[in-house]
Amino acid sequence: MNRNYKRQQETEPPRWAERLLTRITAPHIRDEVLGDLYELFQRRVLRYGYTKAHLLYVLEMLLLLHPRLWRQQARSAQLYTKPTEYSLPNPMAMLSNYGKIAFRKLIRHKSYTLINVVSLSLGIACAILIFTLIKYHLSFDTFHADQDRIYRIYTELHTDKVTYSTGVPNPMGEAFRKGYSVAEKVGRIAFLKKRLVTLSPEKKFEEDVAFADPDFLDIFNFPLIRGNPQTALQDRNTALITERIAKQYFGDEDPIGKLLHIDESLVVKITGILQNLPATTDFRSEIYVPFGNLQDHSPWLVEKDWWMGFNKEMQCFIRLKPGVSAAMVDTKILPAITNKYYDKEYAKVFRFKLQPLSDVHFNPKLRGYTEKKNLWTFGLIGLFLIVTACVNFINLATAQALGRSREIGVRKALGSERGALFWQFITETTLIAGVAMIIALGLAYLVLPFVNQWFEIKLVLNPLTDAYLPAFLLVLLLIVVFCSGAYPGLILARFQPVLALKGKLSQRAVGGFSLRKSLVVTQFAISQLLIIGTLIITNQLRYSQQADMGFRKDAMIILPIPDNKKSKISTLGAQLSEMSSVENVTFFDTPPATESIGSTPIRFDSRPKAEDFTISVKSADHQYIPTFSIPILAGRNVNPSDTIREYLLNETAVKALRLASLQDVIGKTATINDQPGTIVGVMKDFHYKSFHAAIEPLCLTTRSEVYGNCGVNVNPANLGPTLASIERAWKATYPSAIFTYRFMDEDIERFYKLDNMLLRLIQAFAGIAIFVGCLGLYGLVSFMAAQKTKEIGVRKVLGASTSSILWLFGKEFIRLLLIAFVLAAPLAWWVMNEWLANFVYRIEPGAGIFVLAVLITVIVALLTVGFQSMKAALMNPIKTLRTE
C-alpha cells in the first residue's frame, strides 16, 4: 500500500505547493493557474523525471508570487461575469440533485447496490443485537435507589488458597445489625430453589422461595402494590407474591388471604402483592416468606450461633449510611467481627468482605452471570463485523471508480469542485447505509426471539421506549457512512478532469489493486480469527463433556426427593430396586459432579490444629460408590448409617494431609464440621466440579437428614417403560409432590452453559463474517473479470487452457488468504489461550486446528471466486475481443 501510494505521489505536483497556491490565489484565476501548472508538471515528468519536474514546479510557484495573484476581481467585472442563476445557491435543490443522481446510479448498478446493502445489513444487524445485549447486562439491578450504597457480605476462606462464597454464617446479619451502626438497613435472605408450592391436591407448582428479613424490601426496590408495607415480612406464616404468580395461581380471584403450602412443612397466608420483577435483576424469587419461618422449614440452615459453617444461599445485604465507605467496613468492622466470634486459628481462615451491588452480576467467583470482559469481547466482534462490511463497500467503490471517471471529468469540467463531488458520493453512501439500516432493524427484530432463547434472557428492541437505541443507531449510521464513503469519495473527487475525460486514469489513481488486496486481507483475517475461535471452543467443550470424569454418568437418572424421612426413602428405594431394569439406587445430597458444594476446615487424627486446607463434603448412603462406579483405592466403602460415623477421602485429600501412603489414613479420625468420624477408605479422584476447577480435597459420609436426591442407574434398552415405572413408584411414595427427573449428562452439560452460549454466538458471527467476506470477494472478482475480458480473450486465442485462466484468478486470492492467515493465527492463538486459561483441564490447540481453519477459508473463497472465474474462462474469445 505504501509503495503504491508513493508511485501515485510521483505523478502529482507537490501537495504543499498546490495548497499554498489554492489559498493565496484569487478565486477567479485559481483554476486557470492550477490547471496550467499541472499540465506543465505532467509534461516535465515525462521529459525530465519527477525530481526535476518537482523543483521546476516550486520555481514556477515562486515566480508567480505577485500581488496580482491574490488581487480580487474588480466589482464591475464580477457583476459582468457572475451569472445571476448561480447567485443564490439553493441547498435543498442541491440535496435533491444529489439524491436523484445517487438513486439513478444505484438502480443502474444493481449488483453493486445489492452486495453493499446485504453486507451492511448483516453487519449492522449484528451490531444492534450486540449493543442490546451489552446494554441489557449493564442495566442489571441499576433501578434500586441508592444502589451505590448497597453491598452483599461474602465469605473468603483463606487456607492454602483463597475460596469465595456468596453465603455467610447465619449469625452474621444479627451481629452486624446489633453491633455496629454503619448500616441503615441489614437484610438476611435465604434463597431456596424449586420448592413445592401446593394450593390444592390438583394445583401444585415448583417455585423458588426466599425467606427474607423485612429490611430486605427496604434495601431493594421491589414495590408492594397491595398489602401494608409496614408489616410486610414481619408476621410469621405470611407471604408476599408477585403479580405474575398471583395471576397464575388464582386467575381473577383475590389472592389476599389465600393459603400456600410450601414443601408440605409450612403453611403461609398471602398478605401482599409485589409488582412483577423486572427482567434485569438477579433476584428471581417471586415468593417471599418471613426469615423467621426458615426455622420451621430448614432448621439446619439457621443453627443459632453456628459460625463454622455457611451456605451459599444464606446471604446478607446491607445499605450503608451516607458517608460510610466500604473500605472502612472491609478493614475495620468485618475483621472486628471475625476476631470477636472466631479463635485465633479460625480467624485466619474465615474472612468477610463487602461486594458492591454493581459487581453481583459480573463476578463469576461469587456466582455472577458473566464477566464484563465477555461483553467487551462481543462488542469487539460487532466492531469487526462492521469493519468487514465497510471494507466490502470501500473495495467495490474503488474498483468501480474507473467506470465513473468520465462522469467525474464532465462534472469537473462544468465547474464542480472537490467538495461537491465528495458530498455527492457521501449522499450515495448514506442512501445505501440508510436502506441497510432499515433492513438491519427488521433482521434484528426477526432474530431477537432466537437470541432470547439461546441466552435465556428477555431482550427488548424498541426505539420508541429505549432512548439509547435511537442514539446508537444515529451514531452507527454516521460511522458506517464516513468509514465506507469517505475514502472512495476523496479518491473520486481528486480525479484530474483532463485525464478522466480522456479515460487515461490508471488503477493507481483510484487507490490501486494493492489497497483492495489489503482490505481483502483484513476481511479474511477477521473471518479466520473467528473460525479458529469457533474450532477451539468446540474442541474444548467436546473434551469437557466427553472426557472420563472418574464416575459413571451414562444412563443415570436423578430424581429430586421432597421428603427425606427414613420411612419415605426406604420405601422408594425398595420399590425402585425391585424393578428389573434398575441396576442400582442411591440417596445423596449432591450428585458426583455439581457446582453446589461447599468446603469446611478439617482436623486430622490427633493433630493439635486444623489443616491448612479446606475439604468439600458429600453426604450419601453406602450405595453411592457402587452406583456411580467410583473406585476404592484403599480400605472399604462406608457402612449403612443415617448419621456421620465414617468418612471416605479422595486421593487429593490424602496428599494434602502429607501422608506417605493411602493406607496411612485408614482407621484414623477426622473432624469435619465439628463432626468426628473414622476414615475407612480412600476413593479415586474424580471430577466433582467442572473442568474449570481443579480436583480438591473431598470426603464422603452418611447423613440422611440432608439427602435431597435419588440416583437410579437404569438399563437404557427400555428407557421409556422404565421411566414410567419409576414415576409410578415415586408418585406412590410422594403423592402430593410434582414428579421431575433429569439425566446426569444434563447436569454436566449445564456446567458449560455459558461456554455453549458463547460458542453458538461465535459460530453465528463467524458465519456472517465469512458470508459478508464472500459477497465482497464475489463483487471484486466480477469487477476483475470485466477488467480482464480482453486479456482473457487474447490468452485463449494464444492457446491458454481453462484451468490456466481459472488459476489466473485463483492464485491471487489464495495468496491473500494465506497472508490473512499469517496475521490472524498468532492473534487467535493468543486470544484463545487466554480463554482456555479459564479451564484447569483443557486441550492444547494444535496445528491441525489452524490448518483446518485456513482450509475452510480457502475452500469457501475458491467456491466464491470459482463461479465468476469459470464464467470468464468459458467465454467465447471472439466475443471478448470485441468488447473494446
Side-chain angles (χ1 to χ4, degrees):
M1 183 175 173
N2 291 334
R3 189 166 59 249
N4 180 60
Y5 178 75
K6 187 176 177 182
R7 286 176 186 162
Q8 184 182 345
Q9 287 295 100
E10 289 176 353
T11 62
E12 300 291 331
R15 296 291 301 276
W16 67 269
E18 270 195 327
R19 286 177 183 162
L20 179 62
L21 282 172
T22 304
R23 284 184 174 278
I24 65 176
T25 308
H28 66 286
I29 60 171
R30 183 182 298 146
D31 287 343
E32 183 181 355
V33 170
L34 287 171
D36 289 347
L37 283 176
Y38 182 83
E39 290 180 2
L40 196 58
F41 175 81
Q42 294 293 335
R43 286 200 294 270
R44 285 171 173 166
V45 167
L46 295 175
R47 181 176 298 175
Y48 307 118
Y50 173 74
T51 305
K52 194 168 182 180
H54 185 282
L55 293 173
L56 290 172
Y57 189 95
V58 174
L59 179 62
E60 294 285 356
M61 181 202 71
L62 294 174
L63 292 174
L64 281 172
L65 294 178
H66 187 277
R68 64 174 176 271
L69 188 65
W70 50 82
R71 187 179 297 145
Q72 297 294 321
Q73 191 177 17
R75 182 171 178 77
S76 56
Q78 288 181 21
L79 292 173
Y80 178 75
T81 58
K82 190 174 183 179
T84 54
E85 60 269 30
Y86 297 119
S87 59
L88 296 172
N90 185 340
M92 294 307 297
M94 181 185 67
L95 289 174
S96 172
N97 178 262
Y98 284 174
K100 283 180 184 175
I101 292 171
F103 182 74
R104 289 170 184 166
K105 178 181 176 301
L106 297 179
I107 290 295
R108 189 177 302 128
H109 299 92
K110 292 185 178 61
S111 299
Y112 166 83
T113 307
L114 184 64
I115 289 173
N116 281 324
V117 168
V118 171
S119 56
L120 283 176
S121 300
L122 290 173
I124 294 172
C126 291
I128 291 172
L129 288 173
I130 290 172
F131 167 79
T132 310
L133 181 69
I134 292 174
K135 191 175 73 62
Y136 171 81
H137 282 291
L138 291 179
S139 63
F140 258 72
D141 286 308
T142 55
F143 56 88
H144 303 293
D146 302 317
Q147 52 160 318
D148 56 327
R149 292 194 281 128
I150 299 175
Y151 295 87
R152 174 167 64 185
I153 303 176
Y154 69 94
T155 303
E156 286 183 359
L157 282 180
H158 289 253
T159 52
D160 54 333
K161 59 186 180 60
V162 180
T163 56
Y164 304 87
S165 173
T166 55
V168 291
N170 172 51
M172 170 60 78
E174 280 300 305
F176 198 96
R177 181 185 291 130
K178 293 178 179 176
Y180 306 92
S181 58
V182 293
E184 281 182 346
K185 300 287 180 183
V186 178
R188 296 170 298 171
I189 186 166
F191 299 99
L192 301 188
K193 292 187 176 296
K194 294 187 175 181
R195 312 317 303 178
L196 176 66
V197 179
T198 309
L199 276 66
S200 66
E202 295 76 29
K203 299 184 79 172
K204 304 170 189 172
F205 304 90
E206 265 195 351
E207 301 287 352
D208 294 346
V209 178
F211 293 77
D213 279 333
D215 281 356
F216 183 82
L217 293 181
D218 292 329
I219 296 173
F220 294 98
N221 181 29
F222 296 125
L224 193 66
I225 58 176
R226 290 193 63 188
N228 185 354
Q230 304 302 321
T231 60
L233 298 179
Q234 294 277 4
D235 300 327
R236 294 178 68 148
N237 296 98
T238 59
L240 306 177
I241 61 174
T242 61
E243 293 174 274
R244 189 193 70 81
I245 292 283
K247 185 70 177 175
Q248 180 185 1
Y249 286 7
F250 305 106
D252 295 331
E253 294 181 39
D254 184 1
I256 300 295
K258 296 286 173 59
L259 298 179
L260 299 179
H261 295 257
I262 299 175
D263 286 339
E264 299 183 343
S265 60
L266 186 64
V267 180
V268 295
K269 184 170 73 174
I270 298 171
T271 57
I273 307 296
L274 293 166
Q275 188 176 320
N276 278 335
L277 302 178
T280 53
T281 179
D282 286 311
F283 303 98
R284 302 312 312 170
S285 297
E286 297 192 69
I287 298 178
Y288 285 85
V289 177
F291 191 82
N293 278 118
L294 195 57
Q295 181 68 42
D296 308 320
H297 184 274
S298 305
W300 54 276
L301 268 176
V302 284
E303 292 180 60
K304 191 176 180 183
D305 297 332
W306 178 245
W307 283 86
M308 299 305 292
F310 52 86
N311 187 291
K312 65 181 184 301
E313 307 296 357
M314 175 66 79
Q315 300 180 16
C316 182
F317 290 87
I318 62 171
R319 187 172 70 208
L320 294 177
K321 290 180 178 176
V324 176
S325 74
M328 187 277 289
V329 177
D330 272 341
T331 54
K332 295 183 178 177
I333 305 293
L334 292 173
I337 291 176
T338 303
N339 294 329
K340 182 176 180 180
Y341 292 101
Y342 293 94
D343 59 25
K344 284 185 179 178
E345 183 183 334
Y346 282 108
K348 295 176 184 174
V349 177
F350 286 89
R351 297 181 191 176
F352 304 100
K353 294 284 180 61
L354 293 185
Q355 180 190 22
L357 183 61
S358 57
D359 186 57
V360 168
H361 190 70
F362 300 108
N363 192 338
K365 288 180 183 175
L366 293 170
R367 304 176 68 201
Y369 181 81
T370 185
E371 290 181 86
K372 278 187 179 177
K373 70 178 183 183
N374 290 334
L375 299 182
W376 308 141
T377 302
F378 289 152
L380 192 60
I381 291 174
L383 180 64
F384 280 166
L385 292 173
I386 290 291
V387 168
T388 302
C390 290
V391 163
N392 262 4
F393 195 101
I394 296 169
N395 251 340
L396 294 177
T398 52
Q400 286 207 335
L402 280 179
R404 302 186 65 176
S405 61
R406 286 190 173 81
E407 173 200 340
I408 303 300
V410 170
R411 286 182 177 279
K412 282 205 161 184
L414 293 176
S416 287
E417 296 187 354
R418 290 183 178 182
L421 291 169
F422 173 80
W423 287 110
Q424 181 193 327
F425 189 78
I426 290 293
T427 305
E428 293 173 10
T429 310
T430 305
L431 196 59
I432 292 176
V435 173
M437 180 71 79
I438 294 169
I439 295 173
L441 264 175
L443 281 175
Y445 272 111
L446 291 175
V447 175
L448 194 66
F450 300 100
V451 174
N452 282 335
Q453 188 177 354
W454 281 354
F455 287 90
E456 298 177 6
I457 55 179
K458 296 178 181 176
L459 294 183
V460 176
L461 201 59
N462 189 346
L464 300 178
T465 57
D466 183 357
Y468 292 101
L469 184 58
F472 172 75
L473 294 177
L474 179 61
V475 171
L476 183 61
L477 181 64
L478 291 175
I479 290 173
V480 168
V481 167
F482 280 94
C483 287
S484 303
Y487 183 76
L490 288 172
I491 292 290
L492 288 172
R494 286 182 56 194
F495 280 180
Q496 294 300 329
V498 177
L499 297 178
L501 285 171
K502 289 180 178 177
K504 292 187 176 180
L505 286 173
S506 65
Q507 283 284 344
R508 294 174 185 170
V510 295
F513 193 61
S514 294
L515 170 68
R516 291 191 286 281
K517 286 178 182 174
S518 304
L519 295 176
V520 168
V521 167
T522 304
Q523 269 188 326
F524 279 93
I526 292 172
S527 299
Q528 288 179 3
L529 184 66
L530 293 172
I531 291 172
I532 293 170
T534 302
L535 292 175
I536 290 178
I537 294 175
T538 303
N539 278 278
Q540 175 62 39
L541 292 184
R542 186 185 299 122
Y543 169 72
S544 301
Q545 294 173 28
Q546 296 181 358
D548 181 11
M549 297 188 73
F551 58 86
R552 178 190 294 169
K553 59 185 178 182
D554 298 327
M556 287 299 309
I557 299 173
I558 309 296
L559 307 172
I561 53 173
D563 186 349
N564 58 13
K565 288 178 183 169
K566 185 173 176 56
S567 58
K568 293 277 188 181
I569 61 177
S570 297
T571 304
L572 178 62
Q575 292 185 27
L576 293 175
S577 299
E578 289 174 359
M579 297 176 189
S580 58
S581 55
V582 171
E583 297 178 3
N584 283 300
V585 179
T586 179
F587 293 90
F588 49 85
D589 59 346
T590 57
T594 178
E595 296 289 0
S596 305
I597 187 168
S599 59
T600 186
I602 173 177
R603 181 169 292 176
F604 176 68
D605 200 20
S606 57
R607 292 179 182 175
K609 60 179 184 179
E611 301 300 318
D612 59 356
F613 64 91
T614 58
I615 189 166
S616 298
V617 183
K618 279 185 181 292
S619 299
D621 64 12
H622 64 289
Q623 289 294 328
Y624 192 84
I625 293 293
T627 301
F628 290 104
S629 299
I630 299 171
I632 298 289
L633 302 180
R636 59 171 175 81
N637 189 10
V638 292
N639 285 324
S641 175
D642 294 327
T643 56
I644 298 174
R645 292 183 179 177
E646 298 172 337
Y647 287 113
L648 274 176
L649 302 188
N650 68 348
E651 293 172 273
T652 304
V654 177
K655 289 175 187 171
L657 289 170
R658 301 180 297 280
L659 298 176
S661 72
L662 299 181
Q663 291 293 339
D664 291 348
V665 79
I666 305 299
K668 300 292 175 55
T669 302
T671 304
I672 300 170
N673 256 341
D674 214 23
Q675 298 284 339
T678 305
I679 301 172
V680 297
V682 179
M683 53 190 172
K684 189 176 181 181
D685 277 345
F686 61 91
H687 293 276
Y688 66 91
K689 292 183 180 177
S690 74
F691 277 25
H692 287 287
I695 296 175
E696 295 176 344
L698 173 74
C699 75
L700 188 144
T701 187
T702 50
R703 190 186 176 193
S704 63
E705 64 178 349
V706 297
Y707 296 166
N709 294 286
C710 173
V712 186
N713 180 212
V714 300
N715 183 348
N718 298 306
L719 193 56
T722 303
L723 280 173
S725 301
I726 291 174
E727 183 176 359
R728 280 195 297 274
W730 194 91
K731 284 186 173 178
T733 310
Y734 303 107
S736 57
I738 300 173
F739 175 73
T740 59
Y741 70 92
R742 65 185 190 277
F743 287 94
M744 189 71 209
D745 293 346
E746 295 171 1
D747 276 9
I748 295 171
E749 189 178 344
R750 203 169 292 120
F751 289 160
Y752 309 103
K753 184 177 173 184
L754 195 62
D755 299 310
N756 278 308
M757 289 178 186
L758 180 67
L759 173 63
R760 284 196 289 265
L761 201 62
I762 291 186
Q763 281 175 332
F765 288 151
I768 290 172
I770 292 172
F771 181 70
V772 170
C774 288
L775 280 179
L777 203 58
Y778 181 83
L780 208 55
V781 171
S782 302
F783 171 77
M784 281 179 61
Q787 292 291 310
K788 291 178 178 288
T789 301
K790 193 171 183 180
E791 178 188 339
I792 292 169
V794 172
R795 284 175 180 269
K796 292 194 75 172
V797 168
L798 293 176
S801 62
T802 303
S803 58
S804 66
I805 301 294
L806 290 176
W807 181 242
L808 182 68
F809 288 95
K811 66 179 181 182
E812 191 62 39
F813 290 103
I814 289 175
R815 192 160 61 97
L816 296 181
L817 293 183
L818 292 177
I819 294 172
F821 174 75
V822 170
L823 296 174
L827 181 60
W829 182 86
W830 178 77
V831 171
M832 294 319 299
N833 264 295
E834 289 290 310
W835 180 78
L836 286 171
N838 294 317
F839 291 84
V840 175
Y841 305 96
R842 61 183 206 175
I843 61 166
E844 290 300 327
I849 288 176
F850 293 88
V851 172
L852 182 59
V854 76
L855 280 179
I856 290 172
T857 319
V858 168
I859 291 170
V860 171
L862 287 180
L863 289 175
T864 307
V865 173
F867 175 72
Q868 279 296 341
S869 304
M870 183 64 77
K871 191 176 168 184
L874 295 178
M875 283 183 71
N876 188 339
I878 298 174
K879 291 183 180 177
T880 58
L881 290 173
R882 287 177 179 169
T883 55
E884 294 184 14

